[in-house]
Amino acid sequence: MSESDDRRRRPIRHRGGITLRGGEPDPAMDGTTTDQRLLDRRNGSDWVHTDPWRVLRIQAEFVEGFGLLAELPRAVSVFGSARTPRDSPYYEAGVQLGAALADAGYAVITGGGPGAMEAANKGACQAGGMSVGLGIELPFEQELNEWVDVGILFRYFFVRKTMFVKYAQAFVILPGGFGTLDELFEALTLVQTRKVTRFPVILFGSAYWSGLVDWVRDTMVEQGTVSPADLDLLHVTDDIAEAVRVIQAADAARAQNAPEPPRGEAVPAPAPVDD
């Protein structure tokens, strides 16, 4: 093995815009993430000196994310497991989904990782669409997948989640684990509580998701912890064309219901959005 090959094999980590190959400059930070250090420091007085400065870093991440993504066309966020192998039918479905969304004029936003995320980015990229990856600092090696055209790595999960929601007209959820479920239920909560304008939340893969939907209907609805109408927030399908049609129909409905200015008055310029 040559020296150059040996150097390429060194583990790569990211802390925001910082790339680390090999060890951490500060051994005390080795194996931790920015999120972990923010949330774990609950004792002592250290937070008095460090946390107020973290606010500036958090603010900078929001500014960087908003600045990068503000000019995106209509977009759909696609979630799914980083562990989905490339020979899985769900990987191939992710490629086809990314391509179909790109053909329909949507940018495709994923977490930028491997597996199902890579599949959706690949499909969008190969179809000539905009392929976006929103990565996250993790305690192990990570890189944005090779099919990401526009990418950013975040330190904080909550900043990254804001970007997924703010710039998407819909969510499509491929089979995934805890992280995928986290994004799914956050989207449902935001729509249910009307914190965001209602948008489609599509579960792709009925064989994978049917047990979850049955539990919501037979346990949660039955015991009154959610209402029967909340089931309508979910759309389950195995058909990529149907998923795209649901998204397009929701887009058309939003455009039709958009408030119009009173007749005889000039249309005001859009106000700056700083939410």
Side-chain angles (χ1 to χ4, degrees):
M1 181 185 298
S2 69
E3 182 179 348
S4 61
D5 289 337
D6 186 54
R7 289 180 63 83
R8 280 197 293 269
R9 287 179 176 274
R10 290 186 299 164
I12 298 174
R13 290 189 59 208
H14 295 277
R15 286 199 277 114
I18 300 170
T19 298
L20 300 169
R21 289 187 172 91
E24 286 270 5
D26 180 359
M29 298 170 66
D30 190 37
T32 67
T33 66
T34 307
D35 263 333
Q36 181 182 353
R37 293 189 295 275
L38 170 65
L39 298 174
D40 277 357
R41 292 187 175 179
R42 301 174 184 174
N43 299 316
S45 60
D46 187 58
W47 68 271
V48 174
H49 306 290
T50 58
D51 283 6
W53 292 105
R54 283 198 177 95
V55 173
L56 298 178
R57 178 179 285 174
I58 293 167
Q59 179 182 359
E61 283 213 340
F62 277 114
V63 170
E64 187 175 17
F66 291 158
L68 178 67
L69 303 175
E71 303 303 323
L72 278 186
R74 296 177 307 160
V76 174
S77 288
V78 179
F79 298 103
S81 176
R83 303 180 185 186
T84 303
R86 290 175 178 170
D87 60 357
S88 165
Y90 289 126
Y91 186 95
E92 179 57 30
V95 174
Q96 294 179 23
L97 174 66
L101 290 170
D103 289 340
Y106 294 96
V108 172
I109 303 173
T110 79
M117 295 174 281
E118 176 187 284
N121 285 135
K122 178 179 179 179
C125 184
Q126 290 182 331
M130 177 68 71
S131 176
V132 182
L134 308 181
I136 186 69
E137 173 191 326
L138 294 171
F140 41 82
E141 295 181 44
Q142 90 273 222
E143 286 283 340
L144 294 176
N145 69 68
E146 63 181 312
W147 300 101
V148 169
D149 297 318
V150 176
I152 184 171
L153 283 162
F154 292 97
R155 288 183 171 94
Y156 298 101
F157 266 109
F158 55 86
V159 179
R160 180 184 186 229
K161 284 182 175 183
T162 300
M163 304 302 157
F164 280 131
V165 174
K166 182 172 176 62
Y167 295 101
Q169 273 69 51
F171 278 12
V172 181
I173 320 293
L174 295 165
F178 288 157
T180 303
L181 290 172
D182 178 50
E183 299 292 355
L184 164 62
F185 283 107
E186 175 141 358
L188 290 173
T189 301
L190 290 171
V191 175
Q192 181 199 50
T193 57
R194 300 184 184 180
K195 291 294 186 182
V196 297
T197 302
R198 180 167 178 171
F199 54 80
V201 180
I202 300 169
L203 299 177
F204 189 90
S206 60
Y208 189 87
W209 294 114
S210 60
L212 175 65
V213 175
D214 289 345
W215 177 74
V216 172
R217 181 184 58 248
D218 299 338
T219 301
M220 298 181 77
V221 172
E222 183 69 22
Q223 297 192 20
T225 53
V226 299
S227 71
D230 289 333
L231 278 171
D232 295 336
L233 301 179
L234 289 168
H235 188 99
V236 184
T237 185
D238 296 300
D239 186 340
I240 289 169
E242 180 183 356
V244 175
R245 285 196 300 270
V246 169
I247 295 167
Q248 290 175 318
D251 260 353
R254 279 194 298 267
Q256 198 170 43
N257 294 329
E260 296 181 358
R263 293 185 179 181
E265 295 184 16
V267 179
V273 176
D274 57 1
D275 57 350

